[in-house]
């Protein structure tokens, strides 16, 4: 029981403070997962997040960026203006449990990128870094395999590109 209590306390402390919900915060973070393109934008998983004004933000974030100029890549360092909130989901029997997924993956906040001229990402990953190597392998596999479905399965199994 004590271990469960400690784990819950640790997870609760890793969440976004309620006082910062729905405020625009300047954040620097690394793109930790392959960006997931969708209608009109891209979903990003960010890691090593730090606020530029010393406010406490969670280390790991999930955000949606509507219409970025250039889609960020795995390993990029991004300086973004974000509007964040604590992870929450709807009671949907048989559906995805968003809160559980966030807890398991240590995601402390979800949100969206607010349009701002200072939003940008810099490509810093190289082949020497794991993220850069994964991105490079995924691009090469996509180019080498002619069957799109087989290429998607190969990338998913080899480098966790979904």
């Amino acid at each position: 029981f004590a271990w469960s209590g400690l784990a819950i306390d640790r997870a609760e402390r890793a969440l976004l403070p309620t006082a910062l919900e729905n405020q625009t915060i300047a954040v620097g973070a690394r793109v930790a997962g392959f960006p997931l393109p969708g209608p009109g934008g891209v979903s990003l998983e960010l890691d090593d997040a730090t606020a530029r004004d010393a406010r406490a933000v969670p280390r790991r974030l999930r955000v949606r960026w509507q219409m970025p100029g250039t889609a960020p890549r795995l390993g990029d360092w991004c300086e973004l203006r974000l509007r964040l909130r604590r992870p929450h989901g709807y009671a949907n029997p048989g559906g995805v449990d968003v809160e559980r997924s966030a807890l398991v993956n240590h995601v402390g906040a979800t949100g969206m990128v607010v349009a701002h001229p200072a939003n940008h990402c810099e490509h810093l990953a190289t082949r020497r870094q794991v993220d850069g190597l994964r991105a490079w392998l995924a691009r090469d596999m996509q180019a080498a395999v002619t069957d799109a479905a087989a290429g998607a399965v190969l990338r998913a199994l080899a480098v966790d590109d979904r």
Side-chain angles (χ1 to χ4, degrees):
F1 292 116
W3 183 258
S4 297
L6 289 173
I8 290 170
D9 181 58
R10 180 177 171 231
E12 188 68 28
R13 282 187 281 122
L15 292 173
L16 181 74
T18 53
L20 295 180
E21 283 193 304
N22 295 315
Q23 292 185 18
T24 300
I25 305 169
V27 173
R30 180 179 56 85
V31 177
F34 284 98
L36 300 172
V42 63
S43 294
L44 303 172
E45 190 166 304
L46 304 174
D47 204 1
D48 303 326
T50 55
R52 295 296 164 232
D53 58 3
R55 289 190 266 185
V57 295
R59 225 179 134 231
R60 192 169 198 89
L61 310 169
R62 270 196 200 134
V63 299
R64 177 92 178 135
W65 193 352
Q66 296 292 337
M67 301 300 233
T70 312
R73 297 179 286 182
L74 179 68
D76 283 3
W77 182 262
C78 296
E79 296 286 337
L80 304 169
R81 302 313 174 269
L82 303 176
R83 187 163 296 132
L84 299 172
R85 64 180 184 188
R86 295 177 106 168
H88 67 81
Y90 298 103
N92 185 8
V96 175
D97 188 344
V98 176
E99 288 184 50
R100 180 176 182 266
S101 173
L103 178 68
V104 168
N105 294 308
H106 307 287
V107 174
T110 60
M112 59 183 241
V113 178
V114 177
H116 192 280
N119 288 344
H120 70 282
C121 293
E122 298 175 25
H123 185 63
L124 301 177
T126 64
R127 289 185 193 172
R128 292 186 190 113
Q129 296 171 328
V130 174
D131 290 340
L133 179 62
R134 287 175 60 211
W136 175 73
L137 288 171
R139 279 193 304 274
D140 277 8
M141 286 180 211
Q142 184 175 1
V145 179
T146 57
D147 182 13
V153 170
L154 178 64
R155 287 190 321 275
L157 292 174
V159 294
D160 194 30
D161 181 4
R162 297 179 192 146

